[in-house]
Amino acid sequence: MLSARSLFQEIIENDDSFQLFCSIAASGEAQGGWENARIAALVPDGMRGLAPKIVRHGADEDKHGRIFNALLRKRGLPPVPVPPETDYTMLLERRGIGLAHEKLRRSEPLTEHDIVVYLAHSRVTEQRAADQMEMLVTHFGDHPEVGRAIHMISNDEDNHLAYCHEELLRLAREGHGRTIQRVLRESALAEISVYRDVSLAVMDHMGRLLHWPAPKAALLAAGIRGLYAYERFSGWHRMVNLRMPRRRDALGGAPAPAPGLA
């Protein structure tokens, strides 16, 4: 019987599929680290109070990238190139979601609107990350090889999501509410489409590495498309609501170290 647990178990037990999984994850986290570092450097003067939290967000993402690379090193595996069709971050950018890398490479300060877009986009993508890590903690939190890393990354993703909720609510009170809701909706609808495409691409690569029979690959693809249909109909709403989080000032301190992992 196919389940999230059996699927991920199969992926982490095979060196080739584990290598690809960790390489994709490490690359995405590294991109997130770079993006947040650039945004922190370009925050407009009137919003400089956000810069330390954005720096912390980026430092966490960099740490996650190092954790995935450390998992590879422990198996004696080098990272492998990430297939472009599995590059979640860049595919979102091509859809016009978030802040373009071209803008972040320039030295001009960002605008308040840019920061609203960044936080709204992050609220959507961090929801996806937090949900995925919660699933992995449920099924693999006690795994001797990856359990500790999964718990650490999951806690960080929960912090990132809390930070996005809190800051967006503050900005809404300051008059950005309509922009926030518009960008949240646009980002969520684009994200669920990109997530479907990336999931299909990743499973296609995994299927070839693990020699899945055609019926199994077809069943997984149908499940991914079914999830997209649900999210397109109503599931995307969970990505756009805002509520004050239990974790307040979640990125107000120094990032937690990862001794022995990164």
Side-chain angles (χ1 to χ4, degrees):
M1 177 180 175
L2 284 178
S3 66
R5 181 180 180 86
S6 65
L7 185 65
F8 192 66
Q9 185 76 43
E10 192 174 357
I11 289 170
I12 65 176
E13 286 181 351
N14 178 279
D15 280 352
D16 291 336
S17 54
F18 184 76
Q19 186 179 36
L20 179 60
F21 170 79
C22 288
S23 297
I24 292 172
S27 175
E29 298 287 357
Q31 286 185 63
W34 178 84
E35 289 172 1
N36 279 278
R38 291 302 302 151
I39 292 167
L42 300 174
V43 169
D45 288 341
M47 305 178 84
R48 291 305 301 173
L50 268 176
K53 295 181 180 181
I54 301 173
V55 168
R56 162 74 185 277
H57 190 175
D60 284 346
E61 304 286 2
D62 282 336
K63 179 182 70 179
H64 299 167
R66 294 195 304 273
I67 288 172
F68 283 113
N69 281 319
L71 291 173
L72 286 173
R73 286 196 302 273
K74 286 180 179 179
R75 280 210 197 176
L77 300 171
V80 294
V82 174
E85 64 273 18
T86 69
D87 193 332
Y88 174 82
T89 303
M90 293 310 297
L91 289 172
L92 280 174
E93 182 184 354
R94 286 178 195 166
R95 293 285 297 267
I97 300 303
L99 300 180
H101 283 190
E102 180 184 356
K103 175 178 283 195
L104 296 181
R105 290 189 185 99
R106 297 198 294 260
S107 58
E108 297 121 1
L110 298 172
T111 65
E112 283 195 8
H113 179 266
D114 290 330
I115 299 302
V116 170
V117 167
Y118 148 71
L119 283 168
H121 164 254
S122 295
R123 185 262 175 273
V124 169
T125 56
E126 293 298 339
Q127 182 72 61
R128 181 72 71 186
D131 289 348
Q132 288 183 318
M133 295 313 301
E134 181 180 14
M135 180 270 293
L136 289 177
V137 166
T138 298
H139 296 299
F140 291 92
D142 59 352
H143 192 278
E145 184 177 11
V146 301
R148 186 173 166 221
I150 287 171
H151 275 285
M152 180 169 291
I153 295 171
S154 180
N155 183 67
D156 288 345
E157 300 297 4
D158 288 344
N159 282 338
H160 300 167
L161 186 57
Y163 145 76
C164 291
H165 275 275
E166 187 170 5
E167 296 303 331
L168 285 169
L169 286 169
R170 179 180 61 79
L171 289 168
R173 290 193 298 271
E174 293 177 4
H176 297 280
R178 287 191 176 182
T179 299
I180 289 169
Q181 285 302 318
R182 176 180 57 79
V183 176
L184 282 172
R185 185 180 189 279
E186 292 171 356
S187 297
L189 292 174
E191 193 279 342
I192 63 172
S193 176
V194 168
Y195 182 71
R196 174 202 59 197
D197 294 344
V198 168
S199 297
L200 288 169
V202 169
M203 288 301 106
D204 181 60
H205 283 277
M206 293 298 177
R208 280 186 270 121
L209 291 172
L210 295 167
H211 308 292
W212 286 339
K216 179 175 180 177
L219 184 59
L220 285 169
I224 291 168
R225 292 189 175 96
L227 173 63
Y228 169 75
Y230 160 72
E231 291 192 326
R232 185 63 183 83
F233 178 68
S234 65
W236 63 272
H237 290 284
R238 82 186 190 285
M239 294 178 160
V240 302
N241 61 24
L242 294 175
R243 61 186 182 281
M244 189 56 67
R246 292 191 194 125
R247 301 187 186 196
R248 304 292 292 274
D249 196 25
L251 296 188
L261 286 173

